[in-house]
């Protein structure tokens, strides 16, 4: 296998995960949304990995908190949203919708997905069927609408839902169990949701990570991808905010 994805569990209150994409033969890695530098440094030291790039999805502190220390003594390129440069001044490669770049022989596509924040972007790598989606799409849920509009978030989610079904979904929080409980609340007769809730409860009981998901699984079990219009999406998102 030329590439593999590693997970660092931050074990913080927000249940963040930091994802590392490794190019196996060179032992170089991309670090996606590093919450804390120390955890990344320790993991890389333990596994003999070298940081080649940092990818950021949006400006929230639990996604960029470790960047300053990671780049303090090294020249590491930092990719992130151009729309949020004022909030993430250490970005060296400012990205917009439909931009693309490379990590070794991987072609990385950038999609703008405003809603959670106005400048939120995601990273889609078709050749390895992988999506790093920050806080836009969650397993069985979606991010809160903080800066954007519900209309923006609805369209952003629809854009991700249109990606190939086999795409692996790497979001940045372990929210699957709480999302599953909401999903069964709003779709009590959905057998796929019932079965997934059972699996997720078992995995969390055992302390296991529930990610990655896939676009195919999300289309079956994520109520936010199953809404038919903005009004329905807003009603559901408002319900979840109070759940």
């Amino acid at each position: 296998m030329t590439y593999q994805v590693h997970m660092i569990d931050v074990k913080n209150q927000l249940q963040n995960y930091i994802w590392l994409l490794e190019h196996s033969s060179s032992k170089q890695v991309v670090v996606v949304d590093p919450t804390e530098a120390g955890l990344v440094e320790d993991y890389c030291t333990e596994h003999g990995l070298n940081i080649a790039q940092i990818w950021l999805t949006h400006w929230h502190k639990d996604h960029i908190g470790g960047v300053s220390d990671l780049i303090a003594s090294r020249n590491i390129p930092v990719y992130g949203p151009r729309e949020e440069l004022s909030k993430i001044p250490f970005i060296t490669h400012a990205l917009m919708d439909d931009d693309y770049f490379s990590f070794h022989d991987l072609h990385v596509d950038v999609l703008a997905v405003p809603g959670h924040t106005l400048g939120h972007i995601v990273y889609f790598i078709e050749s390895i069927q992988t999506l790093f989606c920050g806080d836009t799409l969650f397993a069985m849920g979606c991010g809160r609408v903080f800066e954007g509009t519900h209309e923006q978030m609805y369209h952003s989610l629809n854009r991700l839902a249109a990606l190939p079904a086999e795409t692996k979904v790497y979001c940045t929080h372990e929210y699957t169990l709480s999302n599953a409980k909401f999903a069964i609340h709003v779709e009590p007769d959905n057998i796929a949701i019932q079965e997934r809730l059972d699996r997720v409860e078992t995995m969390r009981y055992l302390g296991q990570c529930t990610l990655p998901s896939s676009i195919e699984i999300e289309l079956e079990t994520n109520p936010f991808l199953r809404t038919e219009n903005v009004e329905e999406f807003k009603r559901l998102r408002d319900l979840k905010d109070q759940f």
Side-chain angles (χ1 to χ4, degrees):
M1 186 187 297
T2 311
Y3 295 93
Q4 56 182 314
V5 177
H6 304 267
M7 178 270 288
I8 299 174
D9 187 348
V10 180
K11 294 186 167 69
N12 59 348
Q13 195 171 359
L14 293 171
Q15 297 180 280
N16 282 75
Y17 289 135
I18 303 167
W19 299 109
L20 277 63
L21 173 62
E22 178 192 350
H23 178 249
S24 302
S25 57
S26 70
K27 306 293 279 185
Q28 288 191 329
V29 292
V30 173
V31 183
V32 183
D33 287 349
T35 314
E36 295 178 16
L39 294 174
V40 176
E41 298 280 22
D42 290 348
Y43 190 93
C44 288
T45 299
E46 183 182 343
H47 295 88
L49 304 173
N50 296 300
I51 303 170
Q53 297 177 359
I54 295 172
W55 300 353
L56 305 175
T57 59
H58 64 294
W59 67 268
H60 286 165
K61 191 171 186 301
D62 58 309
H63 293 255
I64 67 170
V67 178
S68 294
D69 286 344
L70 289 174
I71 64 174
S73 58
R74 285 166 295 187
N75 183 24
I76 302 171
V78 179
Y79 295 76
R82 178 171 293 188
E83 295 292 319
E84 298 184 359
L85 264 174
S86 61
K87 294 187 169 91
I88 320 175
F90 37 69
I91 289 174
T92 60
H93 293 65
L95 301 168
M96 296 176 66
D97 189 39
D98 290 334
D99 279 346
Y100 59 88
F101 62 96
S102 297
F103 172 59
H104 288 273
D105 61 343
L106 290 182
H107 175 97
V108 184
D109 284 304
V110 177
L111 284 67
V113 287
H116 182 67
T117 66
L118 284 173
H120 200 302
I121 59 173
V122 301
Y123 300 88
F124 173 56
I125 312 162
E126 187 169 17
S127 61
I128 56 169
Q129 303 175 339
T130 294
L131 173 70
F132 295 104
C133 55
D135 285 359
T136 297
L137 175 62
F138 289 132
M140 306 188 81
C142 71
R144 286 176 181 259
V145 180
F146 284 128
E147 293 180 358
T149 65
H150 287 85
E151 185 170 12
Q152 283 177 316
M153 192 63 156
Y154 175 74
H155 289 303
S156 293
L157 288 170
N158 278 349
R159 192 171 184 194
L160 299 184
L163 293 174
E166 62 276 7
T167 302
K168 294 180 287 291
V169 175
Y170 292 91
C171 51
T172 37
H173 294 274
E174 183 54 76
Y175 291 164
T176 315
L177 182 54
S178 59
N179 287 341
K181 290 176 178 177
F182 176 73
I184 201 69
H185 174 71
V186 294
E187 288 192 48
D189 299 324
N190 185 320
I191 302 297
I193 290 177
Q194 292 172 13
E195 291 175 347
R196 191 174 182 191
L197 173 58
D198 289 342
R199 288 198 304 275
V200 168
E201 283 183 324
T202 301
M203 292 176 79
R204 292 311 294 153
Y205 176 76
L206 297 172
Q208 296 174 350
C209 173
T210 62
L211 302 169
S213 180
S214 73
I215 294 297
E216 181 176 29
I217 294 169
E218 293 309 308
L219 288 170
E220 294 175 352
T221 61
N222 189 328
F224 295 100
L225 295 191
R226 298 162 63 77
T227 57
E228 295 188 358
N229 52 57
V230 176
E231 293 70 32
E232 189 184 344
F233 171 75
K234 183 180 186 306
R235 181 186 65 79
L236 209 60
R237 186 61 256 183
D238 289 345
L239 261 179
K240 179 67 166 69
D241 289 346
Q242 307 302 320
F243 187 70

